[in-house]
Structure formats: C-alpha cells, structure tokens
Amino acid sequence: MIRQAKGKTPRRPPPKKPSNNQKDPVGVYCRVRPLGAEDEECCIEVISNTTIQLHAPDGLKANRNGEFKETQYSFKKVFGIKTTQRELFEDVAKPLVEDLIHCKNGLLFTYGVTGSGKTHTMTGSPGQGGLLPRSLDMIFNSIGPYQAKRYVFKPDDKNGMEVQNQVDALLDRQKRDSQTTVPKTPTTRRVDPEFADMISPEEACKADGVDEDSSYSVFVSYIEIYNNYIYDLLEETPFDPIKPKPPQSKILREDQNHNMYVAGCTEVEVKSTEEAFEVFWRGQKKRRIANTQLNRESSRSHSVFIVKLAQAPLDADGDNVLQDKNQVNVSQLCLVDLAGSERTSRTRAEGSRLREAGNINQSLMTLRTCIEVLRENQMCGTNKMVPYRDSKVTHLFKNYFDGEGKVRMVVCVNPKADDYEETLLVMRFAEMTQEVEVARPVDRPICGFAAGRRQRNQAFKDELTRRLEERGGPVDGDSPTVLNQLLQSFPPLPPCEISGPNDDVTLPRLIEALEKRHKIRQMMIDEYNKTANMLKSVLQEQDSNVLSKENFIQEQRGKLGEKDKMIQNQKNEIDRLEKKSKMLEYKIDILQKTTNIYEEDKRSLQQELESREQRLQREVSEKRRMEARMQGIVTDAKLKWEKECERRVNAKQLEMQNKLWVKDEKLKQLKAIVTEGKTENRQPQRPSREKDKVPAKRSASPSPVPTAAPVRPLHRRSHSAGGERWVDHKPTTNVDLDTVLQPNIPNAIKVNAPNEKALSKCDKYVLTHQEIASDGEIQTKLIKGEVFKTRGGGQSVQFTDIETLKQENPVAASRKRRSSETGPEGEPMEGDWTDVETRCSVAVEMRAGSNLGPGYQHHGYTKRRKP
C-alpha cells in the first residue's frame, strides 16, 4: 500500500538498438564420442568434416520392416573421435571469447543424449580441459595486464555495473583482506587436484586487438535449472548437518534494456584463471552434495556458467577508470550444459524420477518448439509468438535469439546402436536449428578519448623516473647546460667590494646591474611564456589533427572490417549454399536411384502380372474346352441311356400288357362261370389301344364296392373320343414333356389360338393348359367344353370337365405306398404298386361326376424334374 501511495517511477523506454539487417545462422557443430567397447555395434559414420550418416541397427531394420533407411545430416563442422579438446575450442569457443572481449555477447550450449559426452566437452578432465576452462584461460591471458583493481567495478543487482571511486574500492579491499576465511591472494591457495593441470602452458592462447585504454574486470556466476526451478550454486548458506534446508529457488527478471537475468544471483569477481576454476568447482561440489541429498542424477538438470566482462575506458590522463556509468560496457558469455534427452520408457523411471524426467523433456521440448516457431517466422514471413516463457531455459536466453549475441550449439552423439532412436531425434532438432538466423550484434561505441592514453602515461612516468635518477632530485624541466647558457646571457655583475662607509658608487652600480638583469629576466620570462603558449597551441592543434586522423583511420578500419566481415559472411554463405546444393544434389541422386529401382520393380511386377493374366486366360479357355467336352460326353451318355431305358421300358410294357391281357381273360372267364352263363362265350381278343369304348354313365351316388377285386386297367380312354369332332387348342408356350401317355384325339382340328372358323366345324373344345403343382412339378390340365351356336350366329363354349395329367417319381411313390398301404399283417394291400408295370404307369386323376376325356398313350418315360 505504501508503494502505491508513493507511486511508481515510470519505466524508461529501452534504448533504440541500431538497426542491423545482417543475420547469421545458428552455428551447429557435431562431436562424435568413441565407442565404449570395440565390439559394440555402431550406427554413425563420419563421411566428411561437415556430414555424418546414420544407419539403423540390423535388429531395428528387421523389427520395422526396413522403415529406417540411411540418412545424412550436415553441420557447420563435424568433429570425429580423434578430435582434441584444443581443436574443438579453436573452432567453436574461441570466436565467442574474442567477441566477449569486444563487448559482444555469446551463448554456447551442448545438447545430446545422456552419456554422449556433453560434460566432457564442456568441462573436460585434467590434462584435457574443455570449452569452459579454456575460455576462462583465454580471457585472463588477454586482459591480464589491463585488469582493474578489485572492487572498482561492482554489480548493482539489476544486471548492470557501477564504477566506484578509489576510496570506496580501497575500503572494500581492506574489508575483504580483514576476513580470515578469504586468502589475500589467489596464489597462496592450494590448487584442487580435480582441476589441476587442465591446460598446459603451450596450449594457452590470447585474443588480438584488446583495447589497452580500457580497464577490465571478470565476474562469474553459476546456476542450475532443475524441475524448471533456478538454484544459485555459489550462494553462501549455513550448513546444518542435522536438518539441512533445501536451497531457495531464484526468479527471472527483466532489466531496463529488456534483457533477462536471475535476480539475487551471486556474482563473484575473479582475477585469475585459478580463482575462476576454484569458484566453478565450488559450485560443482555444491551441486553434487545437493544431488546426493535429493537422490537425483546430475544429468537430470541444466547447468549454466555465466562469465561477465565489465570494461570501462580510462580517463584523459590514462590513470584511473572513467567515473561514468554510461561508459561501462558489460558483455557476457553463457556456457550451458543441457540435461540429457532420452525417453522415459527407456530409462524405466518411476515416481519422482519420472516426474523430473518429464520436466526435463518438457523444457527440451519447449526449446524445440521455440526453434520451430522462429524458423517458421523467418521462412514463411509469419509473426507467431515464440513461447519463451513456457520454460526457464528459453526464457533466460530469449535475448540471444532476438539478436543480442551469437548462438552456437555443440551436438554430442554416441555412435552405439542402443541410442539410435534418441540420436535420430537429436539430429532432426539440430538440422532444424541450423535454419534459424539470429541478427548480428553491432559494435558498441566507446568514449571519444584519444587512443594510446595508457601508453603515453606510462611513457611519461618512465621518463620522469629516468630524469629523477639522473639528477637525484626534483626535476624543474631545465638541464644544467641550458641553465649555464641562460646565466651567461645576463650582463656581468660589477665588483661588490665596498671601500668605506662613504662609498656611494658600488651599491648603486650593483643595484643598476641587478635591475638590468631583472628586466632581462622578465623579458625572457615573457618570451618564454609567449613561446610556450604558442608551442602549446601548436601541440594542441597537432594533437587534435592526430586525433582526427586516428579517428578517421579507426573509422575507415571499422568500415574495412565491416566490409571484410561482409565479404567473409558472403563467402561463408556461398560455401553453405554450395554445401547445401551438393547435399541436395546427393539427395536428388539418391531419390533418382530409388525411383529407378521402383520403376524396375514396377516393370517386373507388370510383366509378372501380364504373364499371370495370360496364364489365367489359358486356364479359363482350357476350362471352357473341358466343360464343353464333358458336356458332350454327358449329353451322349444321357442320350444313350435314354434310348436304352426307352427300349427296356417298351419291352417291359409289352410284356406287362400281355400278362394283363391273360389275367383279364381269366377274370372274364371266371366271371362268366360265376354268373352262370348269363353271357355268351366269346373268343378272347387282345385289347387294342385304338379301340373305342362306350362310356358308362356315372351316377351322382357313389358306386357299390364290388365283391371281387377290381382289375386295374392299363389305361383309360376319354369319353370324348366318340364320333364328335374336337377343336384341340394347344398354346405355343406349352412345354413338351416327352411322357409316354399323350392325349390323342383323332380327327381333331389343332389350333394355337381359337377362331370362329374352327369352332363352327366342331362340337367339342379342349384346351391343354400347363402349370406348376404344389410339389414343384409341371402338371397338364385338359379343360373340355361343348360348342353352342349363339343367337347372333356366333359360337360359344361351355366348359364341362377338367382332366389333370401329373407325373410322379415312381421310386418315391413306391416307397411311400409301401410304407403306408401295408396291411396289419405286413402284406401289401390290393392295388399296391410293387411290380415294374405299375411303377412305369402314370396316374390319371378325375373330378367326381366328370366324363372321361380323350385317351392317352403310355410310353414309359421317367419323371421329369423341375428345371
């Protein structure tokens, strides 16, 4: 509430950054570590100093059915297993250290799977110092003679630096020296064996073009990002062995220039490489202790080592640092060791380990997402918001991707086959990162003092010291020879002896001589001042001319340097495009070869398909020929057996007719005997199929049952076979059934459709009608009627009777009758059809009270089945 009552200080707008349209792609390098054992399967092959090739392990190919093929990835440079730490530093980190000394920021981070060599690349080991110790060594080798005294620069806790005067800095140094826990000089400290002999003296290097007219100080800070929380590894906290307190997390804030920093982070001023190493390893030990207490792995967190270099110009005398905060330039180099990226399914983590693995993977996924959005915005011209705030890692370093410094990444890979899938994801992310471009940082202006102030001040001090040594006293600017010449130019003094008290001549002469000498001296002083002023003006004019010349030369050198950088960048761009073109040509060749292989496979498959179609057609034609052949054989056999059956049936029919005739005659004789001669004896005659019989009149009442067993006639003739003339109407749609018994009407007029002419000549009319019965067989109906003349002179038909002709299967009929018409003793009843002639006969069903129609013949054909 108090802060709101006082009101907030309005935020100053950020300084306008000089526009710079030049952009550089993110430098991505690849380092391949050696295999752990010689017999391990390798999945990475270094093709050239810029290209590597990945091929899937044999087991993975079998499991995925060849889905993974050999893929190639290009980098700015590839370092093989024989690359030394020095060679890696020369190409990757040395340019960033040179930019740091020239007031430019830099970001370098290692990325890869756990166990791929990230920590070894960044930190190294005794005798094989990594990028971090070599960068520190190069910084101090370059600015060693130009470092300011301790506490001249002091952090302001807002990501800036203040310049203290000599008195405040002296008081802070005395306070530090009075503390017993801190040694006075870093040379008296015992070197930790863990970082001893990191870099050999012959491998030391230094930057060129260091501004000698500036004063420098180095500040380091060391933080850890674990589970998306930031912890200060250099923070001094009291240690309680009984109840240790967990470390306090830090927050991110934005300074007045919209740059992100860790609020409340400890920044230690170091004056030598050994002291910086000691601070780094102090943070490493604290990190190990925290990992042991929390039971976690060091690979599950991101570590960030920040090196800040504060520099300010010397004043005009070249003696002290300029007391102007606006003239202080702070540049920083961030060295980041990212956590390992691997799948949780492979690590089999559970519980808290699973949660921390998820947070690590989430932060790495956020980094990938930011890179993807940056690439899409640059390539497609979109303006999507980059999700920097989704993770502390991306939020802390968002300024670098916005153009506040160079960004470089070292991708560390393990060539063993077990890491193939994770390595494939790392390669895809690295390939995408190379397509992101970052604005090139511009040079920061320094105050316009004349160059060489420190050197001239040192030369003046050396000359003053030399003169003091020659004269053994203070120097007034004149040599003894010049003093003697000046004394000889004065008029000589008269004798100074006084002859007596009344001598009035000596003293006036002496006074006159001294006055003359005083006038001459005054004239000489005026002349000297005049000449000195003239010389001073000339010197100032010459100094201003020299300064303008030097500024012009410096400006021209800057322009020349920019031109050289532009030319170099264009050359690099041309080289990159050439490499990309070669890579695309190589990919085109691979695609062309793949296309040719697919075309050959397509042609071979088409040929095989055509051959199979031809073979199928041959088989179909052969099948058709075989079917036609078999159909012919079946038809021939059917005709043969039909003829044979017809012959046998005719023979059997004739035999049965003869037997029936004999039985009929015997019955007639027996009847004649029983009736006692009521009828006359007559010669037996064979029944003729053409003989007409007189139809008997049928009564409405049923006829009595005869005492003797009725004789089963062979067939019955229709009553319509008398002397009347018939119109036989057979439609053309009727089917020829080829049965033995056929309606036969002698002297009938056969027509397909009834007409008046035919009806006028006949007395009777019969229509042959076919239909499907309930059992699915074809039955024939003879619909009979009488023809009458109408009053109008026409003809009309009155239907009187219907005869039904139906076919049955003799085998099924005999079986049915055999099962249903047996007597109680198991003997067949009278009328049972058990012999051949009854099975070959066809039943004729008549309606009650109807007259018999035309007779029909019995030919003995078997039952025709429904088609």
Side-chain angles (χ1 to χ4, degrees):
M1 297 296 294
I2 297 176
R3 299 180 64 181
Q4 290 180 359
K6 289 184 178 180
K8 294 183 179 180
T9 304
R11 193 178 203 178
R12 290 191 302 173
K16 293 184 179 181
K17 299 178 181 180
S19 60
N20 186 13
N21 296 328
Q22 297 179 355
K23 293 185 178 181
D24 295 322
V26 176
V28 181
Y29 302 83
C30 180
R31 187 179 193 184
V32 183
R33 66 159 292 174
L35 286 172
E38 295 182 357
D39 56 347
E40 281 187 328
E41 185 180 2
C42 181
C43 65
I44 294 178
E45 180 183 359
V46 179
I47 297 179
S48 65
N49 59 348
T50 59
T51 307
I52 65 172
Q53 178 173 296
L54 267 71
H55 51 83
D58 296 335
L60 192 59
K61 284 183 179 178
N63 294 336
R64 298 296 182 91
N65 195 18
E67 179 183 352
F68 293 100
K69 298 182 179 180
E70 295 180 352
T71 54
Q72 294 185 356
Y73 298 93
S74 298
F75 298 90
K76 193 170 184 179
K77 192 168 185 179
V78 176
F79 302 96
I81 58 177
K82 297 182 180 180
T83 302
T84 61
Q85 297 279 58
R86 181 179 181 181
E87 294 174 353
L88 180 67
F89 172 77
E90 291 285 341
D91 290 327
V92 178
K94 186 176 180 181
L96 295 180
V97 177
E98 292 177 349
D99 290 343
L100 177 72
I101 296 175
H102 292 90
C103 305
K104 296 179 182 179
N105 299 329
L107 172 63
L108 174 62
F109 58 94
T110 56
Y111 181 79
V113 185
T114 301
S116 59
K118 301 186 301 298
T119 304
H120 177 74
T121 300
M122 184 61 70
T123 307
S125 58
Q128 296 181 357
L131 299 178
L132 189 148
R134 291 180 183 275
S135 299
L136 292 174
D137 186 64
M138 180 177 176
I139 291 172
F140 287 105
N141 290 338
S142 303
I143 66 170
Y146 315 119
Q147 289 192 74
K149 293 182 180 181
R150 197 181 296 271
Y151 299 119
V152 172
F153 294 95
K154 186 177 181 180
D156 60 355
D157 296 333
K158 296 180 181 179
N159 204 31
M161 288 289 172
E162 295 178 348
V163 181
Q164 295 193 120
N165 54 37
Q166 296 295 332
V167 177
D168 294 339
L170 180 60
L171 291 176
D172 289 341
R173 287 195 296 270
Q174 291 177 355
K175 182 178 178 181
R176 176 179 179 272
D177 294 340
S178 64
Q179 296 176 357
T180 57
T181 57
V182 181
K184 291 184 178 181
T185 57
T187 56
T188 61
R189 301 174 184 174
R190 184 173 58 87
V191 180
D192 196 311
E194 291 189 7
F195 58 85
D197 300 329
M198 273 282 188
I199 304 172
S200 58
E202 58 270 10
E203 293 183 354
C205 59
K206 61 185 299 185
D208 298 330
V210 180
D211 186 10
E212 299 178 356
D213 294 327
S214 297
S215 189
Y216 302 88
S217 285
V218 179
F219 296 83
V220 296
S221 56
Y222 196 15
I223 63 174
E224 178 187 30
I225 302 177
Y226 174 74
N227 278 348
N228 211 25
Y229 289 99
I230 301 176
Y231 300 100
D232 186 4
L233 297 178
L234 302 181
E235 186 177 12
E236 297 291 342
T237 56
F239 177 70
D240 188 359
I242 299 176
K243 189 178 180 181
K245 295 182 179 180
Q248 297 295 323
S249 61
K250 304 296 180 179
I251 61 174
L252 292 177
R253 287 185 178 175
E254 193 176 50
D255 61 7
Q256 60 181 0
N257 296 324
H258 298 283
N259 296 324
M260 305 306 301
Y261 70 98
V262 181
C265 180
T266 304
E267 294 181 355
V268 181
E269 185 177 8
V270 291
K271 293 298 180 182
S272 64
T273 307
E274 291 79 8
E275 188 178 357
F277 282 171
E278 184 175 357
V279 172
F280 171 73
W281 283 107
R282 189 173 69 199
Q284 282 288 87
K285 291 178 181 178
K286 186 175 180 181
R287 186 184 181 191
R288 293 175 185 173
I289 293 173
N291 292 337
T292 304
Q293 292 177 352
L294 300 176
N295 191 20
R296 69 186 187 190
E297 300 179 3
S298 60
S299 62
R300 296 288 82 206
S301 62
H302 312 294
S303 62
V304 182
F305 190 79
I306 303 175
V307 181
K308 282 188 178 181
L309 181 63
Q311 55 179 310
L314 298 175
D315 55 12
D317 296 334
D319 230 355
N320 300 318
V321 178
L322 188 65
Q323 297 291 321
D324 187 1
K325 185 178 180 180
N326 296 327
Q327 294 295 334
V328 179
N329 286 316
V330 181
S331 55
Q332 66 180 13
L333 174 63
C334 296
L335 303 174
V336 185
D337 185 6
L338 294 176
S341 61
E342 66 270 352
R343 298 180 179 177
T344 55
S345 59
R346 178 183 171 187
T347 58
R348 298 178 181 177
E350 297 179 354
S352 60
R353 290 290 179 86
L354 181 61
R355 288 193 297 272
E356 73 178 13
N359 291 329
I360 292 299
N361 292 336
Q362 180 64 31
S363 63
L364 296 177
M365 185 63 66
T366 304
L367 177 61
R368 296 178 186 175
T369 305
C370 293
I371 295 296
E372 289 178 357
V373 175
L374 283 172
R375 184 187 63 152
E376 183 179 357
N377 290 341
Q378 293 176 2
M379 298 182 66
C380 303
T382 58
N383 193 20
K384 293 184 178 180
M385 185 183 69
V386 184
Y388 290 120
R389 295 179 178 269
D390 292 350
S391 174
K392 292 292 174 47
V393 176
T394 55
H395 194 194
L396 179 60
F397 301 120
K398 79 179 188 67
N399 305 104
Y400 290 93
F401 293 100
D402 291 341
E404 287 294 332
K406 289 185 178 179
V407 181
R408 293 196 174 184
M409 180 175 69
V410 180
V411 177
C412 300
V413 294
N414 194 340
K416 67 178 182 179
D418 296 339
D419 293 343
Y420 172 76
E421 294 186 356
E422 286 81 0
T423 303
L424 189 64
L425 297 176
V426 170
M427 292 294 106
R428 292 174 181 173
F429 171 68
E431 187 178 37
M432 178 180 59
T433 305
Q434 292 183 101
E435 299 178 359
V436 176
E437 293 182 346
V438 178
R440 185 181 303 172
V442 297
D443 297 330
R444 300 180 183 179
I446 307 295
C447 66
F449 290 125
R453 298 185 303 281
R454 184 191 296 269
Q455 186 176 1
R456 287 199 297 268
N457 188 25
Q458 188 64 35
F460 174 75
K461 290 180 179 180
D462 294 342
E463 182 64 21
L464 181 60
T465 304
R466 186 184 64 78
R467 290 190 179 187
L468 287 175
E469 290 177 355
E470 289 180 356
R471 296 189 59 180
V475 179
D476 57 357
D478 298 332
S479 64
T481 305
V482 174
L483 182 59
N484 293 332
Q485 290 179 358
L486 287 175
L487 291 176
Q488 290 178 3
S489 64
F490 287 112
L493 294 174
C496 297
E497 295 180 0
I498 299 175
S499 60
N502 297 323
D503 190 359
D504 297 332
V505 177
T506 303
L507 289 176
R509 287 181 182 175
L510 182 58
I511 292 171
E512 185 180 359
L514 291 173
E515 288 178 354
K516 288 182 180 180
R517 293 181 69 136
H518 179 70
K519 291 180 181 180
I520 294 173
R521 183 177 181 180
Q522 191 65 35
M523 292 174 59
M524 292 179 66
I525 289 173
D526 295 339
E527 187 67 25
Y528 174 77
N529 290 333
K530 183 179 179 180
T531 305
N533 292 331
M534 186 183 304
L535 181 61
K536 186 177 181 180
S537 62
V538 171
L539 289 176
Q540 288 179 352
E541 184 179 357
Q542 293 295 329
D543 195 5
S544 62
N545 293 333
V546 170
L547 182 59
S548 62
K549 295 290 185 181
E550 288 180 354
N551 291 334
F552 178 75
I553 293 172
Q554 191 70 20
E555 183 180 357
Q556 295 298 322
R557 286 179 180 176
K559 292 182 180 180
L560 183 61
E562 291 180 358
K563 296 294 183 182
D564 292 339
K565 289 181 180 178
M566 187 182 300
I567 293 173
Q568 187 65 31
N569 292 331
Q570 290 179 355
K571 289 181 179 179
N572 295 336
E573 185 68 18
I574 291 173
D575 295 339
R576 187 181 69 83
L577 293 176
E578 288 179 353
K579 292 178 181 178
K580 189 174 182 180
S581 176
K582 291 180 181 178
M583 181 56 60
L584 292 176
E585 290 178 356
Y586 178 76
K587 291 182 179 179
I588 290 173
D589 294 338
I590 294 177
L591 293 176
Q592 188 65 35
K593 292 179 181 178
T594 307
T595 305
N596 295 335
I597 293 173
Y598 288 160
E599 290 292 337
E600 292 178 359
D601 294 343
K602 181 181 177 181
R603 287 194 294 269
S604 62
L605 291 175
Q606 286 180 349
Q607 292 177 359
E608 184 178 358
L609 181 61
E610 292 176 357
S611 62
R612 290 189 177 183
E613 288 180 352
Q614 293 177 359
R615 185 170 59 188
L616 182 61
Q617 291 178 358
R618 289 196 298 270
E619 291 178 356
V620 171
S621 61
E622 184 69 23
K623 181 179 179 181
R624 290 177 180 175
R625 287 196 296 270
M626 184 65 67
E627 288 179 354
R629 181 180 176 187
M630 295 304 296
Q631 189 69 24
I633 294 174
V634 169
T635 304
D636 295 342
K638 182 178 180 181
L639 294 175
K640 179 179 178 182
W641 283 106
E642 284 181 354
K643 292 179 180 179
E644 181 66 21
C645 290
E646 184 179 0
R647 184 185 63 79
R648 292 182 181 181
V649 167
N650 292 333
K652 198 68 175 177
Q653 180 183 0
L654 183 60
E655 181 182 357
M656 295 305 298
Q657 285 179 355
N658 293 330
K659 288 182 179 181
L660 288 175
W661 179 80
V662 172
K663 289 181 180 181
D664 191 17
E665 290 298 324
K666 289 180 180 180
L667 289 174
K668 288 180 179 181
Q669 292 176 4
L670 180 60
K671 184 178 181 181
I673 295 172
V674 172
T675 57
E676 295 179 356
K678 291 181 179 182
T679 58
E680 295 180 357
N681 251 344
R682 44 182 184 175
Q683 284 298 104
Q685 297 179 0
R686 293 180 65 91
S688 176
R689 303 178 68 180
E690 290 80 7
K691 184 177 180 180
D692 296 331
K693 294 183 179 181
V694 179
K697 294 183 179 179
R698 300 179 62 179
S699 62
S701 62
S703 59
V705 179
T707 57
V711 179
R712 183 181 180 90
L714 180 63
H715 63 278
R716 295 183 300 171
R717 295 178 58 86
S718 175
H719 286 207
S720 62
E724 297 89 355
R725 196 170 185 183
W726 292 75
V727 176
D728 190 1
H729 177 198
K730 291 183 178 181
T732 57
T733 57
N734 288 355
V735 179
D736 189 7
L737 300 179
D738 296 333
T739 57
V740 175
L741 298 178
Q742 294 287 342
N744 186 14
I745 304 174
N747 300 324
I749 300 175
K750 296 181 179 182
V751 295
N752 294 330
N755 51 60
E756 185 178 356
K757 182 178 180 181
L759 292 174
S760 62
K761 297 179 180 180
C762 300
D763 300 326
K764 300 289 184 179
Y765 171 84
V766 60
L767 171 63
T768 305
H769 173 68
Q770 291 182 346
E771 63 181 9
I772 304 298
S774 60
D775 58 354
E777 299 295 337
I778 299 176
Q779 65 180 5
T780 304
K781 291 185 178 182
L782 300 178
I783 304 172
K784 297 180 293 182
E786 295 181 358
V787 181
F788 297 96
K789 293 183 179 181
T790 61
R791 293 180 179 181
Q795 306 294 330
S796 65
V797 178
Q798 182 179 0
F799 294 100
T800 59
D801 194 9
I802 298 176
E803 292 184 8
T804 302
L805 307 180
K806 184 178 180 181
Q807 290 178 291
E808 291 183 358
N809 191 346
V811 178
S814 63
R815 287 179 182 176
K816 183 175 180 181
R817 291 180 179 272
R818 191 177 296 116
S819 61
S820 60
E821 297 182 1
T822 55
E825 297 180 359
E827 296 180 357
M829 295 176 61
E830 186 177 1
D832 184 16
W833 298 353
T834 57
D835 50 355
V836 177
E837 61 269 22
T838 56
R839 286 200 303 269
C840 293
S841 64
V842 179
V844 178
E845 297 180 1
M846 300 293 297
R847 288 179 180 267
S850 63
N851 296 325
L852 290 175
Y856 54 89
Q857 297 179 357
H858 191 298
H859 297 287
Y861 283 100
T862 59
K863 175 184 176 183
R864 174 182 292 271
R865 294 192 177 273
K866 179 182 178 181

